[in-house]
């Protein structure tokens, strides 16, 4: 049976809100959040909320759609048989969450036959929820959103982020040194999914980052594209781990050329 992306979005949004309530309530219950473990480096942390939220999301999605696949940040993957795969970050912006900075999100995307068709990014601290279905535009709390009209890289507010590995970060900082004088200013807000939604909403004119994982990118990438952003990688590649960029069309070519010249897709 063919899955309807609109139905998948309804399930994704309901689930993201429930998981968002869980992580926000857990954060508000303590003054200092504990680190439950680390992943790729000692600064790549996981809290008990990441694990609890992913478990909740899994159980809700599988209760309704038991044959789907699942790729989550915290607990590995499940291979499904329905053609639908969920790509989930239970808390994008975990370091912000740890420090009590209200810039983190639950991100849930639904892929059909490997292509992202529906996505939701929910910031439980602000209450904002971005949604998109492929071909249906991008929406923030029921209001359609569009990218900015910025037409020059020199006037663009550009978001970016850094990986957790020190060598990678040093290289990203070297690239940034060349980007800063070419743009209006830089923002490093700390949650890739929300950065992509910021481009969708005109709060940023562009965003780029090297090293994103599928769960950072899936839902926010669809939302940015549906809001009119150019979403891709460098040298003709799709957006992915090497480099992900989302930019309003007026600055996309200039930013792509700059990042290609700087080798922003290489360590
Ligand atoms: C991280 C955030 C951050 C980005 C990192 C991501 P996490 O995701 O999105 O903004 O710079 O590359 O790994 O670890 O908080 O889910």
């Amino acid at each position: 049976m063919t899955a309807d992306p609109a139905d998948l979005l309804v399930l994704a949004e309901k689930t993201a809100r429930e998981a968002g309530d869980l992580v926000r309530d857990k954060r508000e219950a303590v003054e200092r959040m504990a680190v439950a473990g680390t992943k790729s480096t000692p600064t790549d942390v996981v809290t008990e909320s990441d694990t609890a939220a992913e478990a909740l999301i899994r159980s809700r999605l599988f209760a309704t759609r038991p044959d789907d696949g699942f790729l989550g940040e915290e607990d590995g993957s499940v291979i499904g048989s329905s053609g639908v795969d969920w790509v989930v970050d239970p808390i994008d912006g975990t370091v912000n969450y740890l420090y009590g900075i209200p810039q983190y999100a639950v991100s849930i995307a639904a892929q059909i036959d490997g292509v992202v068709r529906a996505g939701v990014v929910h910031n439980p601290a602000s209450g904002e929820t971005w949604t998109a279905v492929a071909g249906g535009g991008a929406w923030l709390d029921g209001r359609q959103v569009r990218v900015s009209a910025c037409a020059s890289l020199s006037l663009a507010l550009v978001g970016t982020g850094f990986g957790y590995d020190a060598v990678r970060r040093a290289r990203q900082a070297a690239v940034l040194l060349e980007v800063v004088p070419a743009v209006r200013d830089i923002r490093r807000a700390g949650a890739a999914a929300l950065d992509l939604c910021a481009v969708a909403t005109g709060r940023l004119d562009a965003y780029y980052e090297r090293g994103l994982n599928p769960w950072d990118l899936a839902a926010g990438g669809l939302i940015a594209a549906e809001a009119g952003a150019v979403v891709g990688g460098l040298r003709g590649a799709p957006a992915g781990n090497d480099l992900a960029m989302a930019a309003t069309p007026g600055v996309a070519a200039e930013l792509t050329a700059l990042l290609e010249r700087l080798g922003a897709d290489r360590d």
Side-chain angles (χ1 to χ4, degrees), residues 137-247:
W139 300 80
L140 166 57
D141 296 333
R143 170 175 67 88
Q144 190 161 13
V145 292
R146 291 283 306 165
V147 291
S148 79
C150 185
S152 165
L153 187 59
S154 63
L155 298 177
L157 186 62
V158 178
T160 192
F162 305 98
Y164 290 111
D165 174 72
V167 174
R168 164 80 48 94
R169 293 168 70 78
R171 174 82 186 107
Q172 288 173 314
V175 168
L176 189 59
L177 217 55
E178 303 290 324
V179 173
V180 168
V183 302
R184 178 193 295 271
D185 206 350
I186 288 291
R187 294 290 181 270
R188 196 298 190 239
L194 290 174
D195 291 331
L196 290 159
C197 291
V199 173
T201 316
R203 296 176 186 176
L204 290 174
D205 300 304
Y207 161 76
Y208 75 92
E209 184 165 345
R210 171 158 168 73
L212 292 188
N213 289 299
W215 45 81
D216 300 315
L217 181 60
L222 176 67
I223 291 163
E226 285 296 323
V230 176
V231 178
L234 301 185
R235 301 168 227 284
N241 188 264
D242 284 349
L243 198 286
M245 189 196 82

Side-chain angles (χ1 to χ4, degrees), residues 20-43:
D21 288 351
L22 179 143
V23 300
R24 188 200 52 231
D25 291 352
K26 278 183 176 289
R27 187 65 191 81
E28 287 177 354
V30 293
E31 194 179 328
R32 295 269 181 270
M33 194 80 207
V35 172
T38 59
K39 294 182 286 184
S40 58
T41 72
T43 53

Side-chain angles (χ1 to χ4, degrees), residues 1-13 64-65 68 82-86 109-113 115-119 132-136 222:
M1 195 184 77
T2 318
D4 180 347
D7 292 340
L8 298 175
L9 180 65
V10 170
L11 176 59
E13 185 173 352
T64 308
R65 301 187 50 89
D68 291 353
S82 66
V84 173
D85 293 294
W86 297 95
Q111 292 182 340
I112 302 176
D113 298 329
V115 179
V116 180
R117 297 290 186 197
V133 160
L222 176 67

